[in-house]
Structure formats: C-alpha cells, structure tokens
Amino acid sequence: QAQLLESGGGSVQAGGSLRLSCAAGSYTYGRYWMGWFRQAPGKEREGVAVIYTAGVSAHYADDVKGRFTISQDRAKRTVYLQMNSLKPEDTAMYYCAGSNFYLANARRLNPDDYSYWGQGTQVTVSS
C-alpha cells in the first residue's frame, strides 16, 4: 500500500534550520522519484527538491539551491530534507511525494507527475 508519512516541521526564526523526514511504505519507496513540494496560502504547489531513489540524482528549485539538501536512507526507506538558512518566504505546508514512473529532467519538480502524497507538515519561518 502506498504510504508516505512526513515529520519534522515546526516554527523557526529566519536563519534557522529544520530537517523534514518522509518515511515510505515498501510499495512506494524505490520506484522512481521521491521528494518535497510545498504550498503557501494562496499559491500553487511547487517542487522544492527531489531525489531518484534508485540512484543518487537530485534536483532542486532555484530558490533553495545552496540552502536545502535532500538525502535518503534506503534501509529505512526514508527521504530527508535538510533546510538551512530558512527565510520567511519558505513558510508553507511541505508535502512528500513519490512518482510512479521515471521523469525527464524538465518534469522532475512538477507536482502533476507525482502519484503518491503524504498529508503534509507545516513549516513556519518568522522574521
């Protein structure tokens, strides 16, 4: 059964750090891409960072490059998002997602190409 369970959200001041975790069920993990998306109030859901669970390739949105790092622990079927130097504009609900097929480069951060979703974890960054 497809299952994604996020944890690690919270409230921090600007410049602080948080680490999000996404534990995947055996059906969901290792298929293709897994990663993190976010949605702020009144905005569309956007890709933040994704990783190829059968390899090491990772992709980041431009505005998080150099600040966020995605990683995985295959033994635990868990994907992590280390977020450093957080900014108020990073405030959003963060969702873990998994794809059901291999994605071309241009589509890896497109939420429409992801079939499995977690419930989300809130990240709030205050100035």
Side-chain angles (χ1 to χ4, degrees), residues 36-82:
W36 294 93
F37 296 75
R38 66 187 180 188
Q39 188 167 20
K43 294 188 177 181
E44 293 187 353
R45 192 170 296 188
E46 62 179 4
V48 176
V50 297
I51 191 166
Y52 185 52
T53 56
V56 297
S57 182
H59 292 260
Y60 296 90
D62 287 342
D63 59 350
V64 306
K65 286 180 181 177
R67 300 189 298 123
F68 292 9
T69 303
I70 191 169
S71 61
Q72 61 181 327
D73 184 329
R74 290 193 176 91
K76 296 181 178 179
R77 295 197 302 264
T78 299
V79 173
Y80 303 97
L81 184 68
Q82 178 66 43

Side-chain angles (χ1 to χ4, degrees), residues 3-7 21-25 34 76-79 96:
Q3 182 179 13
L4 296 172
L5 184 62
E6 304 105 329
S7 62
S21 299
C22 174
M34 280 186 62
K76 296 181 178 179
R77 295 197 302 264
T78 299
V79 173
C96 180

